[in-house]
Amino acid sequence: MSVTVLVEAAQLLTLADGPKDSPRAGPAQRELGLRRGHSVILRDDRVAWVGPERERPATPGAAEIDCRGRVVMPALIDSHTHLVWAGDRKDELELRLAGADYEQIFATGGGILASVRQTRATDDDTLLAESRARLERMRRSGTTSFEIKSGYGLDLATELRQLRVARRLAEETGARVRTTCLAAHALPAELREHADGRAEFIRRICSEILPSVAAAGLADACDVFCDRGAFSIDEAREVCLAARALGMQLRLHANEFGHTGGARLAAELRARSADHLLHLDDTEREALRAAGVVATLLPGTSLVLGKPYADGRALVRAGVPIAVATDCNPGSCALESLAMVLALACYGCKLSPAEALCAVTHNAACSLDLNHEVGRIEPGMSADLLVLATPDYRDLVYHAGSPLISQVFQRGHCIWAV
Ligand SMILES: [Zn+2]
């Protein structure tokens, strides 16, 4: 048995005071359960005890880590990534910086389709190695739980390969991984010339790809890129209903490029999460709130693409629970540090540091059904947590990008320390 004590943190963010079975919205999203001068005992892979240092029970032989002058908080949970892909699109980055538009690049066969060509042509070992390098950088940046989407295959064999790689990343690193089948990411090149190519692709997803993925137990959820230039509301609904019939949770890329109806569809289908949401009106926010959908904001993508930021304040006022994620992908945002994106959620989406912190811990966990494992520091929870080299968590925003994360614990093991 291994026992570690984190001694007398200047700030311990437990997230333990609000609702635990559901994501937090409105004023509750600012409730961090902040304790001063508290210690945490980790036993094997679990949090065993939390309380004031003076009340700490004796733990002979335990490793002690002095956390005076430091923050202890839950490890980060990245609830929207596409991190299994091959190759890169750095040429597109330069085109966009020179003025080209993401939707134009996509329409002319670049964008997602460029990553599909590269991913299909790459063998499993290389795909695993490239993806693992990204995952390791993300773990060193404080993230120990991940949602990973497929969507760079767009055919049965490659979608299965991507999802298998995502599962292997979990087995090899011990990171928690929830997988999502995003076969409905783009219409594949080989079907673009056919008159009924769109209908044929939707048929393949519903009757071949999703059933095979479900039979292999490779996806926890299904997602659709439901937006202008991608898939329509009717197409997205058909895919989602097929996925639901197979027992998958639903997540949706929605309202990134306009009021395309994706957010309303997410509410109608009671999806776990509606993601992006750059364009959202009061009735759409109310629909999300009433349906209990988590609004997942991806401000890194707004930064990289030069798009507007989602209005976080309006979502807080409307009582919609908010998660924040990287959207780590080869084109529109390859940022890997969720801590950096947390700061962007403050500067761009106007969340307060406390709201953004809940968005990358408890609320993200809820959207992935991981909220009884990670996202809070309480006895019985998995010992996934961070030690920050500062006494004030707001420095994650104030000094965004600085190397403040001094230790990363995953399942009770220190996997990174500086
Ligand atoms: Zn995405």
Side-chain angles (χ1 to χ4, degrees):
M1 187 173 68
S2 86
V3 180
T4 303
V5 186
L6 307 176
V7 180
E8 206 174 356
Q11 294 181 340
L12 170 67
L13 311 183
T14 64
L15 281 290
D17 294 343
K20 295 170 187 179
D21 294 331
S22 58
R24 296 172 190 174
Q29 182 150 356
R30 293 193 279 278
E31 178 50 69
L32 297 180
L34 192 156
R35 319 274 190 258
R36 296 179 198 278
H38 275 45
S39 300
V40 182
I41 300 176
L42 313 179
R43 188 165 284 129
D44 295 330
D45 66 334
R46 296 282 139 180
V47 174
W49 183 88
V50 179
E53 166 60 14
R54 63 181 179 280
E55 297 174 12
R56 175 160 63 94
T59 49
E64 293 196 358
I65 297 169
D66 185 355
C67 292
R68 285 172 297 182
R70 295 180 175 247
V71 174
V72 175
M73 60 173 280
L76 308 179
I77 299 162
D78 199 337
S79 57
H80 182 139
T81 86
H82 305 247
L83 75 83
V84 175
W85 79 78
D88 69 67
R89 279 154 50 199
K90 292 170 198 171
D91 293 345
E92 270 177 39
L93 168 65
E94 295 199 280
L95 287 175
R96 282 201 316 274
L97 291 173
D101 181 75
Y102 179 77
E103 286 182 79
Q104 285 169 357
I105 293 171
F106 184 42
T108 54
I112 293 168
L113 294 181
S115 292
V116 170
R117 286 192 294 275
Q118 295 179 84
T119 304
R120 284 180 179 177
T122 299
D123 65 77
D124 284 8
D125 288 347
T126 308
L127 187 60
L128 179 68
E130 291 186 13
S131 304
R132 180 162 178 160
R134 283 187 280 277
L135 184 103
E136 292 295 14
R137 287 194 295 269
M138 294 167 94
R139 291 206 304 155
R140 293 202 296 270
S141 307
T143 305
T144 62
S145 301
F146 301 82
E147 186 259 12
I148 300 179
K149 303 176 196 295
S150 63
Y152 296 116
L154 312 184
D155 61 26
L156 175 60
T158 318
E159 290 289 312
L160 288 170
R161 288 175 55 217
Q162 272 195 285
L163 293 166
R164 278 198 198 98
V165 165
R167 291 280 200 232
R168 272 193 61 189
L169 290 172
E171 287 161 18
E172 291 186 8
T173 66
R176 278 185 177 73
V177 173
R178 290 285 201 229
T179 53
T180 300
C181 181
L182 178 60
H185 197 191
L187 187 62
E190 61 272 20
L191 288 174
R192 291 196 166 215
E193 305 309 320
H194 292 257
D196 62 347
R198 297 188 69 84
E200 168 60 14
F201 188 50
I202 297 297
R203 188 198 65 74
R204 281 186 199 171
I205 292 171
C206 295
S207 60
E208 294 171 16
I209 296 178
L210 289 175
S212 300
V213 164
L218 284 173
D220 305 302
C222 173
D223 192 346
V224 178
F225 190 3
C226 177
D227 221 317
R228 198 167 69 205
F231 293 97
S232 71
I233 295 300
D234 288 342
E235 290 164 342
R237 185 184 287 108
E238 193 175 341
V239 170
C240 287
L241 291 176
R244 174 184 283 169
L246 293 163
M248 295 181 192
Q249 301 278 10
L250 303 178
R251 315 179 75 78
L252 275 183
H253 283 67
N255 294 46
E256 181 179 7
F257 302 134
H259 291 271
T260 47
R264 281 205 179 78
L265 181 65
E268 172 194 321
L269 297 173
R270 296 188 174 269
R272 301 314 304 270
S273 177
D275 302 33
H276 285 293
L277 306 177
L278 271 52
H279 303 272
L280 211 56
D281 62 29
D282 285 343
T283 60
E284 290 165 325
R285 278 185 284 270
E286 173 52 23
L288 292 174
R289 185 203 63 76
V293 180
V294 174
T296 300
L297 307 186
L298 309 166
T301 309
S302 293
L303 176 79
V304 173
L305 295 185
K307 301 277 183 189
Y309 286 88
D311 187 343
R313 290 265 48 87
L315 286 162
V316 171
R317 276 197 303 276
V320 181
I322 300 167
V324 167
T326 60
D327 196 14
C328 182
N329 76 77
S332 63
C333 178
L335 297 188
E336 295 168 335
S337 167
L338 185 51
M340 185 69 212
V341 173
L342 173 160
L344 288 177
C346 297
Y347 292 120
C349 307
K350 307 302 179 191
L351 296 185
S352 71
E355 289 162 347
L357 207 133
C358 178
V360 295
T361 55
H362 176 71
N363 278 7
C366 286
S367 95
L368 298 173
D369 282 337
L370 287 172
N371 47 310
H372 295 292
E373 282 289 304
V374 289
R376 303 188 309 278
I377 300 178
E378 292 182 285
M381 297 291 284
S382 183
D384 286 52
L385 40 84
L386 309 178
V387 179
L388 308 186
T390 166
D392 187 337
Y393 74 88
R394 294 175 299 178
D395 280 336
L396 287 172
V397 181
Y398 195 57
H399 293 304
S402 291
L404 294 168
I405 298 173
S406 59
Q407 276 159 309
V408 180
F409 285 84
Q410 176 189 281
R411 298 180 195 263
H413 295 287
C414 182
I415 57 165
W416 174 251
V418 289

